[in-house]
Amino acid sequence: MAQPDDILDDEDYPACTMGRAAEIIGVSQDFLRRIGDLKLITPLRSAGGHRRYSRYQLRLAARARELCDQGTALDAACRIIILEDQLEEALRRNEQHRQH
């Protein structure tokens, strides 16, 4: 079983409720539902069926809000973030291959 320190350090641990996540980012709960519908994030569900968000997902949601605040349509913002994430992962893998 994971220890409390492991959970606190795990950026993928779904620690935030939808309400708390929305409050942290400064968005509505509907915004979080919409970025879920657009496949930017897929929150984990608690045993009771409530959405739970990780720190990593909160960063993605905050980036979506930032782009929307700059005038980017939500669907385009989600696509941009997905592509940014894919590029970052490809660059990381490329660097790993160079080191071996």
Side-chain angles (χ1 to χ4, degrees), residues 47-99:
H50 300 282
R51 292 175 177 89
R52 309 273 311 176
Y53 296 87
S54 68
R55 289 190 335 229
Y56 174 72
Q57 290 172 326
L58 293 181
R59 281 198 304 278
L60 293 178
R63 176 79 174 120
R65 178 184 176 216
E66 176 185 317
L67 288 171
C68 289
D69 287 349
Q70 295 171 0
T72 305
L74 184 58
D75 60 334
C78 290
R79 186 67 183 138
I80 289 167
I81 296 164
I82 290 167
L83 291 171
E84 288 174 342
D85 205 43
Q86 289 172 344
L87 175 59
E88 185 177 318
E89 177 65 16
L91 291 172
R92 185 188 62 74
R93 286 183 183 185
N94 193 23
E95 185 59 32
Q96 285 178 340
H97 287 300
R98 282 191 197 145
Q99 293 175 357

Side-chain angles (χ1 to χ4, degrees), residues 31-50:
F31 181 89
L32 293 174
R33 283 186 206 95
R34 289 173 43 214
I35 64 175
D37 292 345
L38 291 167
K39 308 291 188 234
L40 177 60
I41 58 177
T42 303
L44 196 69
R45 297 287 182 144
S46 69
H50 300 282

